[in-house]
Amino acid sequence: METLSFPPTSFSILTPDTGVAIGRARYRVESTRDGAVLHGENGYFDGQTDVEIAHIELAPGGQPRLAEFDHTYYTADGSILKRSHLDLKSGAGTCVDNSSGQKTEQSEVLTIPDDTWAGASIVLPIRNFLRAGDKGISRPLHAFSCAPTAKIFSISVNIDPGNAVWTTYGAEAIRVEVRPDFGLLNFVIAAFVPKLHAWFDPNDGLAFIGDEAARFYKGPPIMLVKRHGAEQDGTPRAK
């Protein structure tokens, strides 16, 4: 089950441009009989919360794959702001948006490639790439997102060839960039496509130590940074 290992880890949530802390997050993976469940809980200082749950199963051969994904965003009063859900067995993807004050819910039946991931669960296959020594190369995957309707994107995972100090973390790290892959159109639209940057600690078993991305599609950019020595610090969890 090494491929599914993810000890309880606490993060600070920062505004990337200023480095100002706007919240705290906690992620963990719990083993189940047929795989594992990834739990992610973000709590913002303004009272908003995000709750992410990914059910992961082991395919024949022992490789992990995503089975079900849910990410729900709550306002400070506890009402749902947005929700993304995907059942990979049925292909049903649902996107809920209440941000305009009027609820919209859209569902699609999608064709799901075997290497489809979503949200924080994408850390698991990326870390497997790193363990295989895939530095300085690009690897393909697929990702689910509400953008704003339910979609499966081809993505490329681009791993930096060497380590560098990630100043925000204050230590050496491996940087990985994840971006949608549009083939020959990449050069034309690259500047308009949102990207995800993730960092891993080469001196701590390739532990996931943070990322930078939008909170949700066209949402505010946020950065998660692992809090040194904070794994067991009792960080409050989102309700």
Side-chain angles (χ1 to χ4, degrees), residues 154-167:
S154 296
I155 60 175
S156 61
V157 176
N158 304 293
I159 303 168
D160 281 0
N163 305 340
V165 172
W166 183 26
T167 305

Side-chain angles (χ1 to χ4, degrees), residues 57-70:
E57 63 183 17
L58 294 177
Q63 290 302 310
R65 64 185 178 192
L66 188 62
E68 186 176 2
F69 170 79
D70 188 275

Side-chain angles (χ1 to χ4, degrees), residues 182-228:
F182 295 98
L184 296 176
L185 293 177
N186 279 343
F187 179 77
V188 177
I189 63 177
F192 306 98
V193 175
K195 295 180 287 291
L196 161 71
H197 288 103
W199 287 266
F200 298 79
D201 191 334
N203 301 308
D204 186 20
L206 296 172
F208 171 66
I209 56 173
D211 66 19
E212 180 180 346
R215 183 183 173 199
F216 43 75
Y217 178 68
K218 292 189 175 180
I222 60 172
M223 177 182 284
L224 268 62
V225 182
K226 182 180 176 182
R227 303 173 64 208
H228 289 288

Side-chain angles (χ1 to χ4, degrees), residues 100-117:
S100 66
Q102 183 174 358
K103 179 180 179 180
T104 61
E105 181 171 339
Q106 298 173 316
S107 297
E108 303 280 348
V109 176
L110 305 169
T111 299
I112 312 290
D114 288 340
D115 63 349
T116 297
W117 297 86

Side-chain angles (χ1 to χ4, degrees), residues 60-118:
Q63 290 302 310
R65 64 185 178 192
L66 188 62
E68 186 176 2
F69 170 79
D70 188 275
H71 197 154
T72 305
Y73 307 83
Y74 297 93
T75 64
D77 66 9
S79 59
I80 293 177
L81 177 68
K82 291 176 178 286
R83 180 176 182 240
S84 304
H85 184 268
L86 179 65
D87 182 334
L88 284 85
K89 294 183 178 180
S90 68
T94 302
C95 300
V96 176
D97 188 348
N98 293 328
S99 59
S100 66
Q102 183 174 358
K103 179 180 179 180
T104 61
E105 181 171 339
Q106 298 173 316
S107 297
E108 303 280 348
V109 176
L110 305 169
T111 299
I112 312 290
D114 288 340
D115 63 349
T116 297
W117 297 86

